Amino acid sequence: GAGVSQSPSNKVTEKGKDVELRCDPISGHTALYWYRQRLGQGLEFLIYFQGNSAPDKSGLPSDRFSAERTGESVSTLTIQRTQQEDSAVYLCASSLRGLGPGELFFGEGSRLTVL
Amino acid sequence: AQSVTQLDSHVSVSEGTPVLLRCNYSSSYSPSLFWYVQHPNKGLQLLLKYTSAATLVKGINGFEAEFKKSETSFHLTKPSAHMSDAAEYFCVVSFNTGGFKTIFGAGTRLFVKA
């Protein structure tokens, strides 16, 4: 597609359940990023992929969070045993290259609500 | 340590008056600097970027920003606010430290009054 696509756009789940969030980057973009945005707050870096490797996982808040990427394509962010504090909008971005100050192109986010 | 600080969490202006959103950064490296805008329930969109060329950078929708190294600032300005400018604005700093790092400011919400 023309832009970064994220699904689902909204997800309501019960505490303790696992969720998967998907990101389709812009075709040809080698770098992919996941951010978390809690209500009324800024963006919190989670993880960065260059191709299908993740040189920077420093932002993942706990071992309940994991992410993978297939080649230079789709990425999945998985949250296991969700907690209420996981409620946030999860934003995905891609860029043409990750080794320089390139523009980030963002999806519209996946809004996660944990009851 | 690298950091970015947006000095105002909220800014309110009247339509037709100037806009100033303030951003300061701290870096041991030569930074690249960006401003992104986020309209309600929308993704983030790049407004403008500085990457060591001209220190005065012009962006979309009449916004511009000036990189001032001596003040470690990258404030965003617009001469005349429009109602459609009401949104959240993020100052972003990017450092090449042998790996690529991007840090987002906490954001400034701009309100525009009729």
Side-chain angles (χ1 to χ4, degrees), chain A:
Chain A
V4 177
S5 177
Q6 291 188 246
S7 61
S9 55
N10 276 286
K11 176 72 176 178
V12 180
T13 191
E14 294 179 348
K15 178 181 173 180
K17 301 280 191 183
D18 297 352
V19 296
E20 278 191 358
L21 307 177
R22 177 187 167 108
C23 173
D24 277 282
I26 293 172
S27 177
H29 280 194
T30 61
L32 185 147
Y33 312 79
W34 283 99
Y35 291 88
R36 178 168 69 179
Q37 186 177 28
R38 290 198 168 108
L39 186 64
Q41 298 186 20
L43 273 69
E44 177 186 3
F45 170 78
L46 297 179
I47 188 170
Y48 151 61
F49 286 93
Q50 180 64 35
N52 63 2
S53 67
D56 191 346
K57 304 179 184 179
S58 62
L60 293 177
S62 75
D63 59 8
R64 295 187 296 104
F65 287 72
S66 63
E68 61 181 27
R69 186 180 185 195
T70 306
E72 294 184 353
S73 183
V74 172
S75 176
T76 303
L77 177 68
T78 302
I79 309 172
Q80 296 178 307
R81 306 181 301 282
T82 52
Q83 304 294 314
Q84 288 183 333
E85 66 261 26
D86 300 334
S87 296
V89 175
Y90 289 82
L91 289 165
C92 176
S94 69
S95 70
L96 193 56
R97 58 195 177 104
L99 298 179
E103 176 182 354
L104 298 180
F105 292 83
F106 283 86
E108 295 196 358
S110 292
R111 181 177 299 278
L112 174 65
T113 303
V114 182
L115 301 176

Side-chain angles (χ1 to χ4, degrees), chain B residues 8 10-22 61-64 75-83 85-86 89 108-113:
Chain B
D8 307 291
H10 298 85
V11 170
S12 182
V13 300
S14 297
E15 192 173 23
T17 64
V19 176
L20 171 63
L21 305 183
R22 298 181 294 166
N61 301 334
F63 284 93
E64 61 182 39
H75 301 334
L76 181 70
T77 61
K78 183 173 180 177
S80 175
H82 191 271
M83 296 297 288
D85 295 328
Y89 291 80
T108 298
R109 181 162 294 279
L110 176 65
F111 297 93
V112 182
K113 299 174 289 186

Side-chain angles (χ1 to χ4, degrees), chain B residues 33-50:
Chain B
L33 297 150
F34 307 77
W35 276 97
Y36 282 81
V37 60
Q38 185 179 34
H39 289 277
N41 301 314
K42 296 285 187 183
L44 281 84
Q45 179 186 18
L46 180 70
L47 269 182
L48 50 80
K49 63 181 177 182
Y50 165 77

Side-chain angles (χ1 to χ4, degrees), chain B residues 1 4 9 14 31 63 84 86 101-102 105:
Chain B
V4 55
S9 59
S14 297
F63 284 93
S84 61
K101 194 81 173 177
T102 297

